[in-house]
Amino acid sequence: MSMHDLKGHLAVISGQAKLLRAGKLGAVTSPQVAALADIVAGCQLIEQQLSGMLTAGHRDPSPWKPVLTTADIRQCLLRAYHSMQEEFSDGQLRFEMKLCDFPLILPFDDHLVLRVLMNLLQNARRFTPPEGCVTISVAPHFWERRSAHLPADFERRGRYSRKQPNAAKVVIADSGCGIAPEFHQEIFQEYFSTPAPGYLASSGLGLAIAQNIIQAHGGKIWVQSAPGKGSSFCFLLPYVPPSASGDSPRELLDLVDCGD
């Protein structure tokens, strides 16, 4: 079956869901409207992923170019959490969310970051056995980003503002099989599938796409893991992303410092 055929089937599913949501095929309750909205959003995400698979081999960066809007990143996490709740429940997994109790307002592309979250959550679901736990969290973070052309006085001034967060840190942690240290870099390469006996191999594109999206935001993504000890996939989104024309000293100062 071609990608074009798959997109056609998705259009039918999405179209019928929209008809149901609008009440044109009969009365629907508020919970049903919300569920149908999730179906439509899911179809849109799948269509984007299909487009990404077609362009990934050509290394076309355009699908990952973010359209930035200023919003609360917590709302994006809530959407991912609610979308995946039923799937985690069906897999007999605990699915927990930990959010800071205040807004985290920053510029990001809601659709692309949601795609990153869904990719990471689907991986966690795949590699976590029943009765395991997956946690998604976000909090302010202090991230050091040094540059060779950053003047020394900006470096010194940056050290005085170490306690000021300059990024949001998102972590998706699982109690699954874990990843050996020698694969921590390779898993972000296109078409690389982590050796995991007893688990189905993936396409090897999900993490590569996630990395492309986060880096296009001026952010960073990495994994902390060991065999048998689960995995924590972390990514940072800066409060002030690099401009298209390059980092200015002011922007770099705002992004100075952080530990992993």
Side-chain angles (χ1 to χ4, degrees), residues 116-117 120-121 124 134-137 170-174 231-234:
V116 171
L117 293 170
L120 295 178
L121 287 171
V134 174
T135 303
I136 181 172
S137 63
V170 177
V171 180
I172 294 177
D174 65 61
S231 302
S232 292
F233 282 88
C234 316

Side-chain angles (χ1 to χ4, degrees), residues 242-255:
S243 65
S245 59
D247 295 325
S248 69
R250 177 68 256 170
E251 288 170 328
L252 285 168
L253 175 60
D254 289 337
L255 291 172

Side-chain angles (χ1 to χ4, degrees), residues 6-19:
L6 290 174
K7 286 186 175 183
H9 294 316
L10 282 173
V12 172
I13 295 170
S14 179
Q16 292 299 315
K18 288 177 181 178
L19 285 174

Side-chain angles (χ1 to χ4, degrees), residues 135-205:
T135 303
I136 181 172
S137 63
V138 64
H141 192 73
F142 192 40
W143 179 20
E144 180 175 16
R145 295 187 63 184
R146 301 196 180 278
S147 171
H149 65 270
L150 187 66
D153 62 328
F154 281 99
E155 293 272 3
R156 288 193 297 272
R157 288 169 59 191
R159 285 196 287 271
Y160 293 123
S161 61
R162 284 184 182 277
K163 294 183 180 180
Q164 297 298 320
N166 54 26
K169 182 178 181 179
V170 177
V171 180
I172 294 177
D174 65 61
S175 60
C177 58
I179 304 167
E182 58 265 30
F183 298 120
H184 286 189
Q185 298 297 321
E186 289 181 273
I187 57 174
F188 293 102
Q189 297 176 6
E190 291 178 2
Y191 308 114
F192 180 85
S193 184
T194 312
Y199 295 91
L200 293 175
S202 66
S203 66
L205 283 173

